[in-house]
Amino acid sequence: MVDEGYFGERVACIDNSEAMRARMREKPGPERIEAVTGDMAAARLDGEFSLVYLVFNTIFNLTTQDGQVACFENAAAHLPKGGRFVIEARVPEIQRLPPGQTVLPWRADPRGMSYYVYDVVAQRLSGQHYHFIDGRIEASPTEMRYAWPAELDLMARPAGLRLQDRHAGWRREPFTALSPSHVSVYAKP
């Protein structure tokens, strides 16, 4: 969330991970970043912010549709008229799954390997990530609920937000049927 302070704006983050909040507090800049403990679908900060954003699939960390809708509502509650809510996320890769298959290999290289197990009925995926570090294997599992861009657009409506723009990336590449990710900008009229 951004408003006066950093680059002329106040910058705050909501995270339920102490390690991530500590990293945010270490960021350089003219102002320290306000790092608050909480659930992004429910935590409230004082004041309004001209910009609220979730990057790198963060919306998918909320593992229910209700939680994702609540996140849109919480973001909108922090925005003044004309404020923006920006989401960066992958487009679900399930079109790469052959019929009946649920496992999608993601990466395999000298540093590690990853794969995803999809439940296409519940729109959930379990990610299994293994990192090879100094002769050991470190596991890093993830649980997510994926959503198509059109579903995110519908989640925005009850929150009073409307899709303003969508690109395939941060350089404003055109979003197409083949885009693997999107940056979607929702505005509060």
Side-chain angles (χ1 to χ4, degrees), residues 5-164:
Y6 193 76
F7 298 116
E9 302 287 330
R10 175 179 162 216
V11 177
C13 77
I14 298 172
D15 203 304
N16 62 4
S17 163
E18 177 53 41
M20 289 305 292
R21 287 190 311 277
R23 289 187 70 186
M24 290 301 296
R25 287 190 291 266
E26 294 169 0
K27 296 285 183 189
E31 303 285 332
R32 292 177 55 93
I33 295 174
E34 178 185 349
V36 177
T37 302
D39 175 350
M40 64 185 158
R44 289 285 301 151
L45 297 171
D46 291 333
E48 292 183 325
F49 295 81
S50 57
L51 173 65
V52 175
Y53 60 92
L54 297 176
V55 297
F56 197 64
N57 306 313
T58 303
I59 189 74
F60 299 161
N61 291 337
L62 297 166
T63 57
T64 66
Q65 188 180 57
D66 287 341
Q68 292 170 345
V69 169
C71 184
F72 271 87
E73 291 169 343
N74 194 32
H78 285 90
L79 295 172
K81 286 184 179 182
R84 304 289 188 275
F85 180 35
V86 177
I87 292 180
E88 174 198 29
R90 299 196 63 75
V91 174
E93 297 92 2
I94 62 171
Q95 66 269 26
R96 291 179 45 201
L97 288 173
Q101 183 175 325
T102 60
V103 178
L104 181 64
W106 187 247
R107 116 187 145 114
D109 61 42
R111 295 173 294 137
M113 59 187 238
S114 301
Y115 64 90
Y116 292 107
V117 179
Y118 283 84
D119 178 341
V120 296
V121 173
Q123 286 183 229
R124 296 203 33 140
L125 65 92
S126 298
Q128 303 299 328
H129 308 283
Y130 299 97
H131 308 280
F132 307 145
I133 302 169
D134 298 325
R136 347 182 279 296
I137 299 173
E138 291 187 10
S140 177
T142 58
E143 293 292 324
M144 297 183 175
R145 180 194 182 271
Y146 61 86
W148 295 95
E151 183 183 5
L152 295 175
D153 298 349
L154 288 173
M155 290 180 192
R157 290 179 178 262
L161 301 172
R162 295 291 181 263
L163 180 67
Q164 180 182 40

